[in-house]
Amino acid sequence: MTPTDAGAGSPLMPGVPAQFDSPEDRAEFRRSCQRPGVELYRAHIVRHAFEPHTHEAFGLGAIENGAERFRYAGSEHLAPPGSLVLMNPDELHTGRAETEGGWRYRMAYLDPEVVARVSGEPGWWFSEAVRVDVASALRVTGLLDALWRAEEPLAFDSLLYALLAELRRHARVPRPAPAEGALRFAPVLDYLRAHLSRRLTLDELATVAGLSPFHFLRRFQAHYHVTPQQMLMALRLYQAKQLLAAGLPPAQVAADTGLADQAHLTRAFVRRYGVTPARYQRQVRS
């Protein structure tokens, strides 16, 4: 695995800044060379407050000490010491310390395909973002520490299987059927992705959903906890990450994703991911 010391921040982790304001804040991650779709993360955060961001992966881990408060799926959550943190893919969330000394935690970010392949069960889903289970949290912390230090591919894969086996009882399998709102708005999300570079109107999105404009706006906000414009920006910036990782120059990325110019891309990217597009591109392509 390739370590990156993120005491100054990890530009590969969405939401983790390139430079923490407080020297008390430390974060570090590793990616597995032999097992794509697995990213390990450990941090001690005292002062930094993470702005809303999302991962294209399950975020599974444990709080070692201290407590974290975060907003996830439209609700506030408190993760005390000895608790598991169980986040589903694509859910916007924040994060800040709830205790004076901050919180120390470890996480594994696992692509859904990895979870399905390792567990043999597609469709994992977690209905609770926080589960207080001191014994299980200690075991998860130990497994994540062992994964961090694992050098042999067989050891890594065995530990990954053990981690998911430990968390299996907290998962719902199969994943619950999509809610009515998700089914109604899926074509809207597809439409947004297909027209990132355009200036869209509320009326055309409402037409896609088959609703009147402001009824659509109310229903969309209630379902996703963001406005259509905020969702559009999230999708634009996710696509910007993909294009930057592919090597496109930031000015072209801004144009291709519907942002006004490179300066607009930089401002929006930093607010969401904590790093500039240029820094992100250098790090993911190094």
Side-chain angles (χ1 to χ4, degrees):
M1 289 187 286
T2 302
T4 294
D5 182 357
S10 164
L12 296 186
M13 179 70 69
V16 179
Q19 181 67 52
F20 287 123
D21 293 331
S22 172
E24 298 175 277
D25 295 330
R26 304 285 300 176
E28 189 178 8
F29 78 93
R30 289 192 178 202
R31 282 188 175 180
S32 168
C33 296
Q34 76 273 1
R35 186 58 59 200
V38 177
E39 187 166 83
L40 304 175
Y41 177 76
R42 62 186 184 186
H44 180 207
I45 305 299
V46 180
R47 301 298 176 195
H48 184 74
F50 293 94
E51 294 192 2
H53 59 282
T54 186
H55 304 280
E56 302 291 315
F58 287 98
L60 309 175
I63 307 295
E64 294 183 54
N65 54 58
E68 176 193 15
R69 181 173 292 279
F70 61 96
R71 187 163 183 80
Y72 169 88
S75 300
E76 289 287 324
H77 299 270
L78 179 65
S83 62
L84 301 170
V85 177
L86 308 167
M87 293 184 176
N88 297 311
D90 302 320
E91 288 283 359
L92 266 68
H93 57 279
T94 62
R96 62 177 175 84
E98 182 70 8
T99 47
E100 182 63 29
W103 85 101
R104 190 184 304 274
Y105 64 117
R106 292 176 181 266
M107 299 290 290
Y109 294 97
L110 308 177
D111 286 357
E113 295 78 9
V114 172
V115 172
R117 192 162 60 248
V118 174
S119 69
E121 295 178 304
W124 276 39
W125 202 249
F126 295 95
S127 58
E128 296 180 75
V130 178
R131 292 293 298 268
V132 178
D133 187 333
V134 175
S136 184
L138 285 172
R139 289 191 292 270
V140 166
T141 296
L143 288 166
L144 289 172
D145 180 59
L147 274 165
W148 188 278
R149 294 182 287 104
E151 296 182 357
E152 295 189 14
L154 181 58
F156 187 92
D157 286 344
S158 298
L159 289 163
L160 183 60
Y161 174 80
L163 175 68
L164 291 178
E166 174 64 32
L167 297 173
R168 170 62 181 86
R169 58 197 171 94
H170 301 295
R172 296 177 64 183
V173 180
R175 175 178 175 174
E180 184 272 337
L183 294 173
R184 176 178 288 276
F185 296 128
V188 176
L189 297 186
D190 290 341
Y191 190 85
L192 290 173
R193 292 187 183 98
H195 299 89
L196 293 178
S197 62
R198 284 190 47 219
R199 301 185 71 175
L200 301 172
T201 68
L202 180 63
D203 286 6
E204 65 183 295
L205 296 181
T207 298
V208 173
L211 299 170
S212 64
F214 286 100
H215 184 48
F216 161 74
L217 181 58
R218 292 191 299 271
R219 293 277 300 276
F220 191 95
Q221 171 82 44
H223 182 75
Y224 290 111
H225 313 292
V226 294
T227 66
Q229 176 62 24
Q230 289 172 315
M231 179 65 79
L232 174 61
M233 286 301 295
L235 295 174
R236 281 173 167 170
L237 292 171
Y238 175 73
Q239 178 65 9
K241 284 180 62 185
Q242 310 307 110
L243 297 177
L244 289 165
L248 273 66
Q252 181 180 341
V253 171
D256 289 350
T257 54
L259 301 174
D261 51 28
Q262 186 173 339
H264 186 194
L265 170 66
T266 298
R267 291 193 302 272
F269 204 90
V270 168
R271 283 197 299 269
R272 186 168 296 271
Y273 298 115
V275 297
T276 66
R279 183 185 292 270
Y280 175 84
Q281 187 172 63
R282 286 196 302 271
Q283 293 295 328
V284 297
R285 292 180 60 81
S286 62

